[in-house]
Amino acid sequence: MTDTEDAYFGTAEIRALQRSQDSQVPLLRKTPGAVIHARTFSSDNPRLLGWDTLRQRISVDGWATLRGVTDADVEEAMQELDSFNLIQHRWDFFMADAETIRATCNPLVEAPLPDGLHQVEPEAMDQHLIHQVQRFLDDQGVSPFSKDALAGRLFPAQLVVLRDRDGNIVATGFAAMTHNQFSPFEGTAWVGLIAVSPQWRGRALGTWIDAVSNLVAVERLGATATMEFVAQDNMPSRRMLETCGLRQREGRTVAMLSTSSARLTR
């Protein structure tokens, strides 16, 4: 099997996480408190999900993520899961409704792209290109998803890709419907995997591709709102999200809990 044919990408640990998450999608879709995700086992309501379930997943994967929860939820999780000596990685939680996304992002994407750049059409997202996206994300320090997840074969999702005239990927984004019918965020799309090649940074491409990704979520995936996560000290990304109309939800946070000090994303 060639790299392009292999569904998974990255280190042995990352491939194992991708494989584990892909295999659980049917179960996650119908489990209260679970989030359908492609990187780590996730929950938006750990009490509803059950602490024993989280303990079991951490014992297998070494990771679990709490999305859109309160600080009190995270504190309770650290107490319930204290036997694992978990390390926390935290992000602030941003959201916008569909009306705000349309009003804010449509003018942003009307700005012309730099000469030589073009957006890849969805029908051109073949296995070879998706493999290139996996490698591009890995090069930018963002742990990629499996090919099936990126292609939208596991849950409603769509990649956004910018290439130059030589076919090189210069920026990516992703929108996905990851919250099930039991979630307080049902109908909200997660937008992420925003990455820009170093030589193209400083030219507002991050804002452009983030705006397109949010519009894809609303217009193509039918989301009623979008969410994104950003580190507290990542000021460029925070400004990017705010430019696209998203605002921090005070009292809500994202916590990745890990037995390792490694980070899967910035």
Side-chain angles (χ1 to χ4, degrees), residues 4-266:
T4 301
E5 294 170 330
D6 190 346
Y8 309 108
F9 186 96
T11 64
E13 180 184 18
I14 297 302
R15 287 171 180 260
L17 286 173
Q18 292 168 358
R19 188 178 294 107
S20 175
Q21 287 306 106
D22 284 9
S23 68
Q24 294 179 75
V25 167
L27 177 63
L28 299 177
R29 189 176 288 117
K30 60 184 180 182
T31 301
V35 177
I36 307 162
H37 204 258
R39 188 151 44 202
T40 63
F41 185 87
S42 301
S43 173
D44 52 20
N45 190 331
R47 292 184 202 87
L48 183 62
L49 176 71
W51 297 112
D52 285 343
T53 299
L54 277 173
R55 291 187 189 97
Q56 193 270 336
R57 291 318 315 169
I58 291 173
S59 68
V60 173
D61 298 333
W63 303 79
T65 300
L66 306 180
R67 295 176 49 163
V69 298
T70 66
D71 289 333
D73 292 331
V74 179
E75 183 177 346
E76 183 176 355
M78 295 300 288
Q79 294 172 355
E80 291 284 347
L81 306 169
D82 65 342
S83 63
F84 293 101
N85 296 314
L86 296 171
I87 297 171
Q88 285 188 47
H89 309 276
R90 296 286 285 269
W91 290 265
D92 288 338
F93 187 78
F94 282 65
M95 285 189 71
D97 60 32
E99 182 179 355
T100 300
I101 291 299
R102 292 187 182 98
T104 308
C105 293
N106 272 312
L108 294 173
V109 303
E110 290 172 359
L113 288 168
D115 185 48
L117 300 190
H118 67 277
Q119 182 181 350
V120 178
E121 294 298 327
E123 54 269 20
M125 302 284 184
D126 59 15
Q127 287 287 96
H128 178 70
L129 176 61
I130 292 173
H131 181 74
Q132 289 181 309
V133 169
Q134 289 177 312
R135 184 174 298 280
F136 174 80
L137 289 168
D138 190 59
D139 288 344
Q140 311 313 313
V142 180
S143 177
F145 297 167
S146 72
K147 289 182 176 65
D148 285 343
L150 291 173
R153 290 191 283 265
L154 299 178
F155 43 80
Q158 187 173 312
L159 270 171
V160 180
V161 179
L162 279 182
R163 300 175 93 170
D164 64 18
R165 57 169 53 94
D166 296 321
N168 301 305
I169 295 174
V170 301
T172 61
F174 186 67
M177 305 299 290
T178 57
H179 291 266
N180 63 29
Q181 62 179 315
F182 307 102
S183 171
F185 305 109
E186 181 186 10
T188 300
W190 172 74
V191 172
L193 305 186
I194 306 297
V196 178
S197 180
Q199 59 266 38
W200 284 96
R201 292 173 189 167
R203 303 183 68 173
L205 287 186
T207 298
W208 190 92
I209 205 153
D210 193 52
V212 172
S213 300
N214 275 277
L215 286 170
V216 162
V218 169
E219 304 295 357
R220 299 189 183 180
L221 301 182
T224 57
T226 64
M227 64 170 67
E228 296 193 60
F229 315 144
V230 64
Q232 193 170 43
D233 60 353
N234 189 342
M235 295 311 298
S237 291
R238 296 176 78 88
R239 288 193 293 268
M240 178 184 74
L241 267 58
E242 290 170 350
T243 299
C244 290
L246 289 90
R247 296 293 181 266
Q248 184 178 351
R249 281 289 187 92
E250 298 294 341
R252 295 286 172 177
T253 189
V254 177
M256 185 177 286
L257 310 179
S258 171
T259 57
S260 165
S261 60
R263 295 176 68 94
L264 296 183
T265 189
R266 297 188 299 271

